[in-house]
Amino acid sequence: AWVEPAVVFVDAGANFATVACPRCAHGLAGEWWLMAMDRAAANHFVDLTVALPCCGGNASLNDLRYEWPQGFARFAIDIRNPGGELAVDQVARLGDVLGCALRLIRAHY
């Protein structure tokens, strides 16, 4: 487990494949995403809102459709080599215990 003083991007490592719009599902070019991440990082990820280039809407970088899932957090619980898939209900129960929503990020490094 780790805790950060500020929000950080938690990536899936080698599992990072694509990024798409959460509104219209259009694929978002890597260059656009990298520029959006640079702008958000300059403000320490305090504001994750971006204008989407495909449909003109706004969304949070956290809500983009990442293949594989990724996100932003101040803490993480690392479970290495769990010996099988974690069930959705197990993740939800752990979130209930912690009092926050959790996102399962399957990282491969």
XYZ file of all heavy atoms in Angstrom:
826
model
N 0.848 -1.187 0.000
C 0.000 0.000 0.000
C 0.883 1.236 0.000
O 2.012 1.199 0.472
C -0.916 -0.007 1.217
N 0.336 2.304 -0.536
C 1.044 3.577 -0.496
C 0.047 4.707 -0.401
O -1.098 4.579 -0.815
C 1.986 3.761 -1.676
C 1.402 3.546 -3.045
C 1.505 2.426 -3.809
C 0.635 4.480 -3.813
N 0.859 2.600 -5.000
C 0.305 3.855 -5.035
C 0.186 5.772 -3.606
C -0.446 4.471 -6.027
C -0.566 6.398 -4.597
C -0.867 5.746 -5.786
N 0.500 5.816 0.185
C -0.299 7.025 0.316
C 0.546 8.191 -0.167
O 1.719 8.292 0.188
C -0.737 7.262 1.782
C -1.514 8.570 1.913
C -1.559 6.096 2.299
N -0.049 9.053 -0.973
C 0.644 10.224 -1.513
C 0.035 11.489 -0.917
O -1.156 11.512 -0.607
C 0.494 10.272 -3.039
C 1.171 9.148 -3.773
C 2.672 9.269 -3.762
O 3.193 10.396 -3.700
O 3.337 8.224 -3.810
N 0.816 12.551 -0.768
C 0.257 13.812 -0.264
C -0.658 14.507 -1.274
O -1.508 15.312 -0.907
C 1.488 14.661 0.034
C 2.573 14.078 -0.806
C 2.248 12.617 -0.965
N -0.511 14.205 -2.546
C -1.328 14.800 -3.602
C -1.784 13.704 -4.561
O -1.243 12.593 -4.556
C -0.525 15.857 -4.359
N -2.732 14.020 -5.389
C -3.262 13.065 -6.369
C -2.184 12.716 -7.392
O -1.437 13.583 -7.843
C -4.502 13.664 -7.076
C -4.967 12.781 -8.216
C -5.623 13.872 -6.070
N -2.111 11.439 -7.757
C -1.191 10.958 -8.782
C -1.971 10.096 -9.775
O -3.063 9.607 -9.476
C -0.017 10.138 -8.187
C 0.839 10.984 -7.275
C -0.524 8.912 -7.457
N -1.404 9.898 -10.953
C -1.996 9.013 -11.952
C -1.525 7.601 -11.668
O -0.328 7.349 -11.526
C -1.586 9.448 -13.359
C -2.156 8.584 -14.449
C -3.524 8.484 -14.639
C -1.321 7.878 -15.285
C -4.062 7.698 -15.650
C -1.831 7.086 -16.304
C -3.206 6.999 -16.478
N -2.459 6.676 -11.575
C -2.152 5.264 -11.342
C -2.405 4.540 -12.658
O -3.542 4.404 -13.097
C -3.035 4.678 -10.213
C -2.654 3.232 -9.946
C -2.926 5.517 -8.945
N -1.324 4.112 -13.285
C -1.451 3.505 -14.608
C -1.355 1.993 -14.544
O -0.964 1.424 -13.532
C -0.391 4.072 -15.558
C 0.997 3.630 -15.184
O 1.647 4.315 -14.370
O 1.436 2.582 -15.690
N -1.707 1.364 -15.642
C -1.693 -0.097 -15.738
C -0.385 -0.627 -16.299
O -0.295 -1.801 -16.660
C -2.868 -0.559 -16.594
N 0.620 0.221 -16.384
C 1.919 -0.228 -16.879
C 1.822 -0.730 -18.307
O 1.240 -0.080 -19.172
N 2.352 -1.916 -18.549
C 2.345 -2.499 -19.892
C 0.936 -2.852 -20.368
O 0.732 -3.101 -21.555
C 3.234 -3.743 -19.925
N -0.039 -2.842 -19.462
C -1.430 -3.104 -19.847
C -2.121 -1.876 -20.443
O -3.248 -1.979 -20.894
C -2.242 -3.595 -18.642
C -1.935 -5.025 -18.284
O -1.413 -5.783 -19.085
N -2.250 -5.400 -17.069
N -1.454 -0.714 -20.434
C -2.050 0.500 -21.002
C -2.205 0.290 -22.503
O -1.244 0.114 -23.222
C -1.132 1.685 -20.729
C -1.750 3.030 -20.997
C -1.572 4.056 -20.100
C -2.487 3.283 -22.135
C -2.121 5.315 -20.330
C -3.045 4.522 -22.385
C -2.863 5.544 -21.474
N -3.456 0.329 -22.982
C -3.695 0.077 -24.404
C -4.272 1.291 -25.118
O -3.635 1.852 -26.002
C -4.614 -1.132 -24.570
N -5.490 1.713 -24.770
C -6.155 2.803 -25.472
C -6.894 3.710 -24.498
O -7.133 3.339 -23.357
C -7.180 2.266 -26.493
O -8.186 1.515 -25.785
C -6.524 1.401 -27.548
N -7.274 4.898 -25.006
C -8.081 5.859 -24.254
C -9.210 6.290 -25.173
O -8.985 6.596 -26.354
C -7.256 7.100 -23.834
C -8.107 8.056 -23.020
C -6.014 6.697 -23.063
N -10.441 6.319 -24.649
C -11.589 6.720 -25.454
C -12.478 7.685 -24.680
O -12.433 7.754 -23.453
C -12.397 5.493 -25.879
N -13.294 8.406 -25.421
C -14.239 9.361 -24.850
C -15.332 8.610 -24.085
O -15.895 7.641 -24.596
C -14.860 10.186 -25.978
S -16.150 11.322 -25.416
N -15.670 9.057 -22.873
C -16.743 8.409 -22.120
C -18.137 8.758 -22.637
O -19.109 8.111 -22.294
C -16.546 8.939 -20.698
C -15.928 10.277 -20.881
C -15.044 10.141 -22.110
N -18.225 9.776 -23.494
C -19.520 10.226 -24.018
C -19.859 9.573 -25.350
O -20.964 9.101 -25.549
C -19.531 11.743 -24.161
C -19.370 12.459 -22.825
C -19.117 13.939 -23.007
N -20.045 14.565 -23.929
C -20.974 15.451 -23.598
N -21.086 15.810 -22.351
N -21.760 15.971 -24.502
N -18.899 9.554 -26.288
C -19.192 9.044 -27.633
C -18.350 7.822 -28.008
O -18.511 7.289 -29.095
C -19.010 10.153 -28.671
S -17.291 10.650 -28.934
N -17.443 7.408 -27.135
C -16.586 6.231 -27.325
C -15.540 6.403 -28.424
O -14.866 5.450 -28.791
C -17.405 4.969 -27.567
N -15.370 7.610 -28.956
C -14.357 7.871 -29.975
C -12.970 7.709 -29.355
O -12.721 8.170 -28.238
C -14.538 9.297 -30.522
C -13.614 9.620 -31.641
N -12.374 10.157 -31.446
C -13.769 9.468 -32.994
C -11.785 10.319 -32.618
N -12.612 9.921 -33.571
N -12.068 7.066 -30.073
C -10.696 6.928 -29.596
C -10.012 8.284 -29.507
O -10.184 9.116 -30.404
N -9.285 8.509 -28.445
C -8.583 9.781 -28.255
C -7.106 9.583 -28.555
O -6.465 8.699 -27.979
C -8.793 10.295 -26.828
C -10.253 10.563 -26.465
C -10.399 10.857 -24.979
C -10.803 11.710 -27.296
N -6.595 10.388 -29.451
C -5.207 10.265 -29.897
C -4.247 10.415 -28.724
O -4.472 11.220 -27.817
C -4.911 11.315 -30.964
N -3.174 9.660 -28.764
C -2.170 9.703 -27.710
C -1.612 11.092 -27.474
O -1.375 11.493 -26.340
N -1.398 11.852 -28.546
C -0.849 13.201 -28.413
C -1.802 14.110 -27.634
O -1.386 14.867 -26.769
C -0.554 13.789 -29.792
C 0.109 15.151 -29.731
C 0.466 15.653 -31.115
O 1.089 14.884 -31.887
O 0.112 16.805 -31.408
N -3.114 14.038 -27.946
C -4.095 14.850 -27.224
C -4.098 14.477 -25.749
O -4.097 15.330 -24.873
C -5.505 14.665 -27.813
C -6.533 15.383 -26.993
C -6.908 16.693 -27.126
C -7.263 14.870 -25.883
N -7.833 17.017 -26.155
C -8.063 15.905 -25.376
C -7.321 13.626 -25.248
C -8.915 15.747 -24.294
C -8.159 13.458 -24.158
C -8.946 14.511 -23.696
N -4.107 13.172 -25.463
C -4.148 12.707 -24.074
C -2.895 13.142 -23.318
O -2.988 13.602 -22.176
C -4.306 11.185 -24.033
C -4.396 10.661 -22.646
C -5.499 10.667 -21.827
C -3.347 10.057 -21.897
N -5.180 10.110 -20.615
C -3.865 9.722 -20.629
C -2.016 9.768 -22.158
C -3.104 9.108 -19.642
C -1.259 9.162 -21.171
C -1.804 8.839 -19.938
N -1.727 13.033 -23.948
C -0.491 13.449 -23.280
C -0.504 14.942 -22.966
O -0.081 15.355 -21.877
C 0.728 13.100 -24.137
C 1.063 11.610 -24.220
C 2.144 11.372 -25.266
C 1.491 11.083 -22.870
N -1.009 15.762 -23.885
C -1.095 17.209 -23.622
C -2.085 17.493 -22.492
O -1.831 18.335 -21.630
C -1.478 17.955 -24.895
C -0.340 17.993 -25.899
S -0.657 18.812 -27.497
C -2.036 19.852 -27.227
N -3.202 16.792 -22.475
C -4.195 16.973 -21.407
C -3.602 16.561 -20.060
O -3.819 17.235 -19.043
C -5.456 16.160 -21.713
N -2.847 15.476 -20.051
C -2.198 15.022 -18.811
C -1.150 16.035 -18.352
O -1.044 16.321 -17.149
C -1.554 13.648 -19.015
C -2.555 12.521 -19.115
S -3.400 12.188 -17.570
C -2.086 11.401 -16.639
N -0.381 16.585 -19.276
C 0.626 17.603 -18.913
C -0.025 18.819 -18.276
O 0.469 19.345 -17.275
C 1.443 18.023 -20.139
C 2.451 16.974 -20.572
O 2.731 16.040 -19.786
O 2.959 17.093 -21.702
N -1.153 19.280 -18.855
C -1.863 20.439 -18.287
C -2.377 20.124 -16.885
O -2.253 20.940 -15.972
C -3.016 20.869 -19.189
C -2.568 21.665 -20.398
C -3.739 22.324 -21.117
N -4.747 21.382 -21.586
C -4.720 20.741 -22.743
N -3.720 20.919 -23.570
N -5.682 19.922 -23.076
N -2.948 18.954 -16.700
C -3.474 18.572 -15.387
C -2.337 18.392 -14.376
O -2.458 18.782 -13.215
C -4.304 17.295 -15.503
N -1.232 17.822 -14.810
C -0.085 17.612 -13.916
C 0.509 18.937 -13.455
O 0.983 19.048 -12.322
C 0.981 16.771 -14.609
N 0.455 19.961 -14.311
C 0.987 21.272 -13.946
C 0.247 21.854 -12.745
O 0.803 22.657 -12.000
C 0.903 22.232 -15.137
N -1.009 21.430 -12.552
C -1.806 21.861 -11.399
C -1.925 20.750 -10.358
O -2.882 20.734 -9.575
C -3.201 22.301 -11.852
C -3.156 23.584 -12.636
O -2.358 24.466 -12.334
N -3.998 23.688 -13.637
N -0.988 19.799 -10.396
C -0.957 18.683 -9.437
C -2.255 17.877 -9.447
O -2.697 17.386 -8.415
C -0.627 19.187 -8.036
C 0.631 19.996 -7.994
N 1.873 19.418 -8.080
C 0.818 21.330 -7.919
C 2.786 20.382 -8.041
N 2.183 21.544 -7.952
N -2.869 17.758 -10.608
C -4.095 16.980 -10.821
C -5.254 17.436 -9.939
O -6.133 16.651 -9.595
C -3.829 15.478 -10.642
C -2.841 14.927 -11.622
C -1.622 14.425 -11.186
C -3.114 14.918 -12.976
C -0.696 13.916 -12.084
C -2.190 14.413 -13.882
C -0.986 13.909 -13.440
N -5.269 18.731 -9.579
C -6.374 19.276 -8.795
C -7.636 19.361 -9.650
O -8.730 19.062 -9.188
C -6.000 20.661 -8.206
C -7.202 21.334 -7.573
C -4.877 20.508 -7.196
N -7.486 19.770 -10.907
C -8.614 19.868 -11.828
C -8.370 18.909 -12.982
O -7.445 19.093 -13.771
C -8.761 21.302 -12.354
C -9.954 21.482 -13.276
O -10.751 20.536 -13.443
O -10.088 22.579 -13.838
N -9.214 17.881 -13.091
C -9.055 16.862 -14.129
C -9.988 17.087 -15.317
O -10.046 16.269 -16.217
C -9.306 15.473 -13.535
C -8.352 15.039 -12.419
C -8.795 13.693 -11.845
C -6.927 14.969 -12.919
N -10.694 18.213 -15.342
C -11.650 18.492 -16.406
C -10.942 18.820 -17.717
O -10.006 19.600 -17.745
C -12.555 19.675 -16.020
O -13.176 19.392 -14.763
C -13.628 19.912 -17.067
N -11.411 18.182 -18.782
C -10.869 18.427 -20.124
C -12.018 18.639 -21.108
O -13.115 18.124 -20.909
C -9.984 17.260 -20.623
C -8.723 17.131 -19.804
C -10.748 15.950 -20.629
N -11.740 19.431 -22.141
C -12.676 19.574 -23.260
C -12.364 18.454 -24.244
O -11.226 18.310 -24.699
C -12.500 20.932 -23.917
N -13.353 17.662 -24.553
C -13.155 16.510 -25.427
C -13.083 16.956 -26.886
O -13.957 17.684 -27.356
C -14.284 15.510 -25.224
C -14.381 14.968 -23.796
C -15.727 14.305 -23.563
C -13.237 14.006 -23.529
N -12.064 16.515 -27.625
C -11.884 16.965 -29.010
C -12.867 16.327 -29.995
O -13.057 16.822 -31.094
C -10.453 16.541 -29.333
C -10.238 15.325 -28.494
C -10.995 15.610 -27.209
N -13.521 15.260 -29.583
C -14.369 14.511 -30.508
C -15.805 15.018 -30.547
O -16.361 15.246 -31.616
C -14.348 13.032 -30.132
S -14.545 12.757 -28.356
N -16.409 15.201 -29.377
C -17.828 15.561 -29.334
C -18.070 16.924 -28.697
O -19.219 17.344 -28.560
C -18.622 14.487 -28.604
S -18.092 14.218 -26.898
N -17.001 17.601 -28.278
C -17.128 18.941 -27.734
C -17.597 19.017 -26.301
O -17.747 20.103 -25.755
N -17.816 17.894 -25.668
C -18.243 17.893 -24.270
C -17.066 18.032 -23.334
O -15.911 18.122 -23.758
N -17.369 18.039 -22.054
C -16.337 18.051 -21.017
C -16.405 16.748 -20.249
O -17.472 16.145 -20.122
C -16.540 19.219 -20.047
C -16.247 20.552 -20.690
O -15.347 20.661 -21.507
N -17.018 21.553 -20.341
N -15.265 16.335 -19.732
C -15.206 15.127 -18.906
C -13.993 15.230 -17.997
O -13.113 16.063 -18.208
C -15.108 13.878 -19.774
N -13.951 14.370 -17.035
C -12.792 14.254 -16.166
C -11.810 13.265 -16.797
O -12.225 12.253 -17.371
C -13.225 13.730 -14.792
O -12.098 13.340 -14.030
N -10.530 13.551 -16.686
C -9.528 12.577 -17.143
C -9.736 11.233 -16.447
O -9.448 10.181 -17.010
C -8.109 13.088 -16.855
C -7.596 14.206 -17.752
C -6.310 14.793 -17.183
C -7.371 13.709 -19.160
N -10.249 11.268 -15.235
C -10.494 10.042 -14.482
C -11.625 9.218 -15.091
O -11.665 8.006 -14.924
C -10.812 10.367 -13.021
C -10.736 9.158 -12.130
O -9.743 8.436 -12.138
N -11.771 8.938 -11.343
N -12.544 9.869 -15.802
C -13.698 9.176 -16.367
C -13.512 8.741 -17.812
O -14.421 8.142 -18.398
C -14.940 10.059 -16.259
C -15.341 10.284 -14.810
O -15.018 9.439 -13.958
O -15.962 11.325 -14.538
N -12.347 9.049 -18.415
C -12.097 8.556 -19.765
C -12.135 7.038 -19.741
O -11.898 6.404 -18.703
C -10.743 9.056 -20.281
C -10.590 10.569 -20.422
C -9.203 10.906 -20.953
C -11.669 11.171 -21.296
N -12.422 6.438 -20.878
C -12.499 4.980 -20.959
C -11.111 4.439 -21.296
O -10.695 4.452 -22.447
C -13.527 4.578 -21.993
C -14.933 4.972 -21.548
C -15.955 4.804 -22.614
N -16.104 3.403 -23.011
C -16.864 3.012 -24.002
N -17.545 3.891 -24.713
N -16.948 1.745 -24.305
N -10.425 4.004 -20.251
C -9.074 3.455 -20.400
C -9.169 1.955 -20.604
O -9.893 1.269 -19.900
C -8.240 3.737 -19.152
C -7.962 5.192 -18.908
C -8.731 5.929 -18.015
C -6.924 5.838 -19.568
C -8.474 7.272 -17.791
C -6.656 7.182 -19.348
C -7.436 7.884 -18.455
O -7.184 9.210 -18.232
N -8.419 1.473 -21.568
C -8.301 0.025 -21.765
C -6.850 -0.305 -21.478
O -5.968 0.148 -22.207
C -8.668 -0.333 -23.209
C -8.649 -1.804 -23.479
C -9.686 -2.586 -22.690
O -10.796 -2.115 -22.483
O -9.330 -3.698 -22.249
N -6.592 -0.834 -20.492
C -7.146 -1.338 -19.259
C -7.411 -0.197 -18.280
O -6.846 0.885 -18.447
C -6.177 -2.310 -18.673
C -5.965 -3.542 -19.502
C -5.794 -3.615 -20.858
C -5.911 -4.867 -19.024
N -5.627 -4.913 -21.251
C -5.695 -5.704 -20.137
C -6.027 -5.443 -17.783
C -5.597 -7.086 -20.014
C -5.913 -6.804 -17.678
C -5.718 -7.605 -18.774
N -8.275 -0.451 -17.255
C -8.617 0.627 -16.309
C -7.388 1.280 -15.675
O -6.402 0.609 -15.362
C -9.462 -0.089 -15.256
C -10.089 -1.221 -16.001
C -9.021 -1.681 -16.967
N -7.499 2.598 -15.518
C -6.474 3.418 -14.878
C -7.202 4.526 -14.157
O -8.407 4.678 -14.318
C -5.517 3.956 -15.937
C -4.950 2.795 -16.736
C -3.935 3.166 -17.741
O -2.867 3.596 -17.383
N -4.266 2.982 -18.995
N -6.509 5.314 -13.371
C -7.201 6.383 -12.679
C -6.280 7.262 -11.862
O -5.049 7.181 -11.971
N -6.883 8.081 -11.039
C -6.170 9.042 -10.214
C -6.494 8.764 -8.760
O -7.648 8.473 -8.423
C -6.592 10.468 -10.598
C -6.219 10.812 -12.011
C -6.999 10.414 -13.078
C -5.057 11.516 -12.263
C -6.645 10.706 -14.380
C -4.681 11.814 -13.570
C -5.484 11.409 -14.620
N -5.490 8.863 -7.900
C -5.703 8.521 -6.489
C -4.627 9.144 -5.616
O -3.588 9.588 -6.109
C -5.682 7.008 -6.316
N -4.904 9.144 -4.328
C -3.907 9.534 -3.338
C -3.387 8.306 -2.586
O -2.415 8.390 -1.862
C -4.491 10.530 -2.339
C -4.626 11.920 -2.923
C -4.865 12.975 -1.862
N -3.876 12.909 -0.808
C -4.169 12.713 0.486
N -5.406 12.577 0.888
N -3.215 12.659 1.374
N -4.093 7.171 -2.727
C -3.610 5.961 -2.079
C -3.930 4.752 -2.951
O -4.808 4.795 -3.805
C -4.208 5.785 -0.670
C -5.613 5.251 -0.654
C -5.842 3.889 -0.511
C -6.697 6.093 -0.780
C -7.134 3.392 -0.493
C -7.990 5.604 -0.759
C -8.205 4.245 -0.622
N -3.185 3.688 -2.711
C -3.422 2.431 -3.424
C -3.118 1.278 -2.492
O -2.319 1.405 -1.557
C -2.545 2.336 -4.666
N -3.763 0.192 -2.750
C -3.483 -1.061 -2.055
C -2.971 -2.011 -3.121
O -3.689 -2.324 -4.073
C -4.745 -1.626 -1.384
C -5.278 -0.628 -0.357
C -4.444 -2.977 -0.752
C -6.647 -0.973 0.166
N -1.724 -2.413 -2.993
C -1.130 -3.326 -3.969
C -1.384 -4.766 -3.552
O -1.082 -5.145 -2.422
C 0.386 -3.113 -4.058
C 0.755 -1.775 -4.648
O -0.004 -1.270 -5.489
O 1.803 -1.232 -4.265
N -1.927 -5.532 -4.463
C -2.115 -6.963 -4.247
C -1.334 -7.646 -5.355
O -1.735 -7.625 -6.518
C -3.601 -7.355 -4.286
C -4.373 -6.572 -3.227
C -3.754 -8.858 -4.094
C -5.876 -6.733 -3.315
N -0.230 -8.208 -5.006
C 0.638 -8.821 -6.006
C 0.379 -10.323 -6.117
O 0.320 -11.015 -5.111
C 2.091 -8.568 -5.664
C 2.430 -7.095 -5.687
C 3.872 -6.848 -5.292
N 4.099 -5.441 -5.111
C 4.535 -4.631 -6.059
N 4.805 -5.101 -7.247
N 4.707 -3.350 -5.825
N 0.220 -10.768 -7.348
C 0.015 -12.183 -7.634
C -1.062 -12.788 -6.736
O -0.776 -13.663 -5.927
C 1.336 -12.951 -7.494
C 2.422 -12.378 -8.364
O 2.178 -12.022 -9.507
N 3.624 -12.255 -7.814
N -2.319 -12.334 -6.863
C -3.376 -12.770 -5.948
C -3.791 -14.236 -6.114
O -4.569 -14.740 -5.309
C -4.542 -11.840 -6.292
C -4.311 -11.463 -7.708
C -2.814 -11.389 -7.850
N -3.281 -14.923 -7.108
C -3.635 -16.326 -7.277
C -4.992 -16.517 -7.943
O -5.575 -17.581 -7.882
N -5.510 -15.478 -8.546
C -6.795 -15.538 -9.232
C -7.375 -14.143 -9.341
O -6.818 -13.182 -8.810
N -8.490 -14.042 -10.030
C -9.149 -12.752 -10.217
C -9.841 -12.303 -8.936
O -10.444 -13.116 -8.233
C -10.186 -12.848 -11.333
C -9.585 -13.019 -12.702
C -8.797 -11.801 -13.142
O -9.273 -10.670 -12.959
O -7.696 -11.992 -13.689
N -9.757 -11.015 -8.644
C -10.529 -10.448 -7.550
C -11.947 -10.222 -8.058
O -12.144 -9.676 -9.143
C -9.937 -9.124 -7.088
C -8.555 -9.197 -6.436
C -8.038 -7.792 -6.160
C -8.633 -9.979 -5.142
N -12.927 -10.643 -7.292
C -14.324 -10.479 -7.688
C -14.763 -9.040 -7.474
O -14.278 -8.352 -6.568
C -15.208 -11.435 -6.889
N -15.688 -8.588 -8.311
C -16.214 -7.232 -8.225
C -16.781 -6.974 -6.831
O -16.579 -5.911 -6.254
C -17.291 -6.994 -9.316
C -17.997 -5.667 -9.125
C -16.668 -7.080 -10.687
N -17.478 -7.969 -6.259
C -18.062 -7.774 -4.926
C -16.993 -7.668 -3.846
O -17.176 -6.964 -2.854
C -19.085 -8.858 -4.598
C -18.468 -10.246 -4.459
O -17.621 -10.606 -5.291
O -18.859 -10.969 -3.518
N -15.841 -8.319 -4.031
C -14.750 -8.183 -3.058
C -14.205 -6.757 -3.061
O -13.958 -6.180 -2.008
C -13.608 -9.153 -3.385
C -13.931 -10.597 -3.154
C -12.814 -11.498 -3.640
O -12.361 -11.372 -4.779
N -12.364 -12.392 -2.777
N -14.028 -6.190 -4.241
C -13.535 -4.820 -4.361
C -14.565 -3.859 -3.768
O -14.216 -2.929 -3.041
C -13.222 -4.469 -5.832
C -12.816 -3.018 -5.977
C -12.129 -5.391 -6.373
N -15.851 -4.081 -4.048
C -16.914 -3.217 -3.515
C -16.965 -3.291 -1.989
O -17.112 -2.263 -1.319
C -18.259 -3.609 -4.114
N -16.828 -4.484 -1.426
C -16.840 -4.619 0.047
C -15.662 -3.900 0.667
O -15.796 -3.248 1.704
C -16.839 -6.092 0.451
C -18.189 -6.746 0.335
C -18.182 -8.097 0.972
N -17.060 -8.866 0.439
C -17.110 -10.121 0.044
N -18.208 -10.784 0.138
N -16.062 -10.726 -0.439
N -14.486 -4.004 0.063
C -13.306 -3.300 0.582
C -13.538 -1.792 0.513
O -13.200 -1.062 1.452
C -12.051 -3.696 -0.204
C -10.747 -3.081 0.257
C -10.479 -3.353 1.738
C -9.590 -3.591 -0.592
N -14.145 -1.314 -0.564
C -14.490 0.100 -0.669
C -15.450 0.528 0.427
O -15.315 1.622 0.996
N -16.425 -0.322 0.741
C -17.365 -0.024 1.826
C -16.632 0.106 3.159
O -16.907 1.009 3.940
C -18.440 -1.106 1.935
C -19.427 -1.083 0.778
O -19.499 -0.057 0.063
O -20.119 -2.109 0.587
N -15.697 -0.792 3.407
C -14.917 -0.745 4.656
C -14.095 0.543 4.719
O -14.016 1.192 5.766
C -13.992 -1.985 4.771
C -12.989 -1.820 5.898
C -14.815 -3.249 4.965
N -13.511 0.934 3.597
C -12.670 2.134 3.558
C -13.478 3.422 3.443
O -12.958 4.513 3.663
C -11.681 2.044 2.392
C -10.645 0.928 2.498
C -9.859 0.824 1.204
C -9.728 1.170 3.676
N -14.745 3.318 3.063
C -15.602 4.488 2.938
C -15.377 5.281 1.662
O -15.584 6.499 1.638
N -14.949 4.607 0.590
C -14.747 5.293 -0.689
C -14.867 4.289 -1.825
O -14.729 3.090 -1.632
C -13.379 5.978 -0.725
S -11.989 4.848 -0.585
N -15.123 4.808 -3.008
C -15.189 3.942 -4.189
C -13.771 3.549 -4.595
O -12.845 4.352 -4.497
C -15.879 4.673 -5.328
N -13.614 2.319 -5.022
C -12.310 1.828 -5.472
C -12.388 1.443 -6.940
O -13.434 1.042 -7.431
C -11.886 0.601 -4.653
C -11.704 0.806 -3.153
C -11.338 -0.520 -2.493
C -10.651 1.846 -2.870
N -11.269 1.538 -7.606
C -11.155 1.103 -8.993
C -10.042 0.071 -9.053
O -8.923 0.323 -8.614
C -10.823 2.283 -9.897
C -10.681 1.906 -11.366
C -10.412 3.101 -12.232
N -11.574 3.989 -12.224
C -11.614 5.155 -12.827
N -10.563 5.598 -13.491
N -12.682 5.904 -12.784
N -10.351 -1.077 -9.590
C -9.357 -2.129 -9.737
C -8.508 -1.833 -10.971
O -9.034 -1.728 -12.085
C -10.040 -3.491 -9.886
C -9.132 -4.691 -10.010
C -8.242 -4.846 -8.785
C -9.980 -5.956 -10.196
N -7.215 -1.675 -10.768
C -6.277 -1.415 -11.861
C -5.313 -2.596 -11.902
O -4.540 -2.808 -10.973
C -5.533 -0.090 -11.642
C -6.545 1.064 -11.639
C -4.450 0.118 -12.719
C -5.963 2.397 -11.271
N -5.382 -3.344 -12.976
C -4.512 -4.499 -13.138
C -3.241 -4.041 -13.849
O -3.199 -3.918 -15.055
C -5.215 -5.577 -13.936
C -6.343 -6.225 -13.178
C -7.058 -7.257 -14.034
N -8.106 -7.919 -13.296
C -9.354 -7.482 -13.236
N -9.703 -6.399 -13.896
N -10.253 -8.131 -12.533
N -2.229 -3.781 -13.056
C -0.958 -3.272 -13.597
C -0.031 -4.433 -13.924
O 0.009 -5.438 -13.218
C -0.304 -2.336 -12.597
N 0.690 -4.263 -14.994
C 1.707 -5.238 -15.390
C 3.014 -4.473 -15.628
O 3.082 -3.634 -16.515
C 1.290 -5.973 -16.656
C 2.311 -6.969 -17.119
N 2.573 -8.121 -16.430
C 3.135 -6.960 -18.190
C 3.516 -8.793 -17.062
N 3.878 -8.095 -18.132
N 4.006 -4.762 -14.813
C 5.303 -4.077 -14.929
C 6.398 -5.050 -15.220
O 6.377 -6.169 -14.908
C 5.638 -3.297 -13.656
C 4.627 -2.216 -13.391
C 3.626 -2.384 -12.455
C 4.665 -1.030 -14.117
C 2.691 -1.376 -12.231
C 3.737 -0.028 -13.893
C 2.749 -0.216 -12.946
O 1.840 0.775 -12.742
